[in-house]
Amino acid sequence: MERLPGFRDFYPEPLPEAEAWSAELRRFLFEAWRGVARRYGFREYDAPPLEPLELFTLKSGAEIAGQLYSFADKGGREVALRPEITPSLARLVAARERHYKKPIKWFAIPQLFRYERQQKGRLREHFQFNADLVGENDPAADAELVALLIDSLRAVGLTAQDFVVRLSSRQAWQEFYTHRGAEPARALDFFQVVDKLERESPEASDAKLKTLGFTLEEVRAFIAAAQPTADLTRILHNLSARGLSDYTRVDYTIVRGLAYYTGTVFEAHDRRGEFRAIAGGGRYDNLLKLISGGKTDLPAIGFGMGDVVLAELLAARNLRPKFEAGTDAYCVIDDETLRDDSLRLVQDLRNSGLAVEYALTSTSADKQLKRALELGVAHTFKLERLGTGKLLARLRVLATRSERTMLAADLAAALHVDPAAAPQS
Ligand code: HAM
């Protein structure tokens, strides 16, 4: 049976084919994200993958609402698989914010589901690193989030030559929109046309803008002026103090499609413009109030970074790490009368934290050695029984083919001291 289109199987390395998705690359990304979140003082949270449909239809805007995997459950409730985690985060924080010191700094790595048209960088499920800071409306918080975004990408090996964070302002766009006397209720439609400018033909964008009372030319002129707002100026200054100026630029092409953004918005893109956005986020100062029915009113800012574009970008820039089995040693059993003692030794070594492999059934020594080489181990060892009945372990360093023998009981210590060191004969 085939998997559903837009969904992925994750295979262990070595991958069966170049296009297969790697469970180990996924773990690498998650570890990098968790490591950076820790360095910035963010704590992990999660929420249910299935939520009331209303949570998303009310708060996220038409684009995401149109991509929902939604259905009525057996109890007749209208539910949806989460297409993003921000509305759930707003609910969690609104429900328990008094328990936490402000600003609240939380992260999550949820799997998200969107019934999108499949294309490069866009699937129907993805994992998304989310970092959000709640309870601080100073642009210093915006800068902290942008710095975290930059470091999340640096943590996987990308540099200022590979990506740029494009900073913009919903407020600036809102003012542009309102000053021209356009219909307030259609502001989000306008933002969505701007959001798609880079992906749609100029003719299509111009036609859509005209129905809203704008021309492509005046929108382009506003983008070209790139006049930073007071908030953006402070964010740029803050990032420059950290030495991160090379990673950012003001770019009003960014406006973001989601409904709830209110201020600073930003996206990370590859420099060559070959891929869809690697990450996107912004300030959403009204969402908590909306979700809590007015009970909690806290400003917030955050971003989401997907694993799909990031994995594609790492592959394209040759930055995908090599994933080895991580086996420390291989136990060769060429005398079946020593199998039980070998199992005991393997068990002891594994208990001491070493990764040890051996052949499950009687196998020729040649095949065992071949397997050890495939696993990339530095050492093999085998047991030998002396005439006195004493057990010795013969340890071999594959790189140098040198060997030494020792009491089986000393093997763990020898492997732990310096697993790759050449033995003294
Ligand atoms: P978003 O721009 O919809 O924002 O998604 C953020 C990132 O998730 C995108 O830049 C992309 O890397 C990835 N992504 C989104 N959709 C897909 C897809 N169908 N396939 C693969 N990757 C995808 C949000 O979701 C906001 N909730 C982020 C946020 C957090 N804003 C504030 N806090």
Side-chain angles (χ1 to χ4, degrees), residues 36 40 143-156 158-160 163-165 167 239 242-248 266 268 303 305:
V36 179
Y40 277 74
E144 183 76 354
L145 259 291
V146 174
L148 169 56
L149 167 55
I150 292 168
D151 275 337
S152 314
L153 295 173
R154 295 206 301 189
V156 296
L158 294 163
T159 67
F163 74 92
V164 62
V165 179
L167 296 166
L239 292 167
R242 302 170 196 239
L244 295 179
S245 293
D246 287 353
Y247 294 88
T248 57
F266 51 91
F303 69 82
M305 175 185 299

Side-chain angles (χ1 to χ4, degrees), residues 155-320:
V156 296
L158 294 163
T159 67
Q161 276 79 55
D162 300 309
F163 74 92
V164 62
V165 179
R166 299 155 75 185
L167 296 166
S168 176
S169 164
R170 242 322 148 83
Q171 242 162 353
W173 273 114
Q174 184 69 53
E175 274 164 30
F176 172 87
Y177 185 81
T178 325
H179 275 161
R180 279 158 182 76
E183 220 180 300
R186 298 197 64 193
L188 194 62
D189 296 339
F190 173 74
F191 295 153
Q192 246 141 35
V193 182
V194 177
D195 184 49
K196 294 197 169 55
L197 280 185
E198 289 182 311
R199 279 169 273 141
E200 270 194 316
S201 71
E203 295 73 30
S205 297
D206 194 42
K208 283 188 192 161
L209 286 170
K210 289 224 166 85
T211 68
L212 293 157
F214 295 87
T215 63
L216 182 57
E217 204 180 332
E218 62 184 328
V219 164
R220 278 192 174 154
F222 180 71
I223 293 171
Q227 204 58 49
T229 59
D231 281 359
L232 284 177
T233 305
R234 284 193 52 200
I235 297 167
L236 291 170
H237 177 87
N238 183 311
L239 292 167
S240 151
R242 302 170 196 239
L244 295 179
S245 293
D246 287 353
Y247 294 88
T248 57
R249 71 159 187 262
V250 171
D251 185 342
Y252 282 153
T253 332
I254 304 302
V255 66
R256 309 278 296 139
L258 289 160
Y260 46 67
Y261 293 115
T262 52
T264 308
V265 282
F266 51 91
E267 286 183 1
H269 287 257
D270 70 289
R271 285 264 184 203
R272 298 190 205 164
E274 289 168 17
F275 297 89
R276 296 283 303 262
I278 311 166
R283 187 164 271 290
Y284 50 99
D285 287 346
N286 302 330
L287 187 63
L288 270 94
K289 197 169 170 196
L290 246 162
I291 298 254
S292 65
K295 276 191 231 113
T296 309
D297 188 5
L298 286 171
I301 176 152
F303 69 82
M305 175 185 299
D307 66 326
V308 178
V309 177
L310 191 51
E312 289 176 351
L313 180 59
L314 290 181
R317 301 289 174 268
N318 236 344
L319 288 169
R320 221 176 156 283

Side-chain angles (χ1 to χ4, degrees), residues 64 83-86 112 114 116 121-126 128 130-132 256 258 260-261 277-282 284 301-306 308-309:
I64 276 206
E84 58 161 343
I85 202 172
T86 313
L112 306 178
R114 299 182 188 182
E116 292 213 48
R122 289 293 178 270
L123 300 173
R124 290 185 174 163
E125 63 57 42
H126 70 283
Q128 196 188 77
N130 275 254
D132 291 84
R256 309 278 296 139
L258 289 160
Y260 46 67
Y261 293 115
I278 311 166
Y284 50 99
I301 176 152
F303 69 82
M305 175 185 299
V308 178
V309 177

Side-chain angles (χ1 to χ4, degrees), residues 91-108:
R91 184 193 59 224
L92 261 77
V93 172
R96 294 280 187 272
E97 56 99 0
R98 285 204 187 141
H99 178 75
Y100 295 98
K101 295 262 181 303
K102 313 293 177 306
I104 288 170
K105 301 199 291 182
W106 286 3
F107 80 95

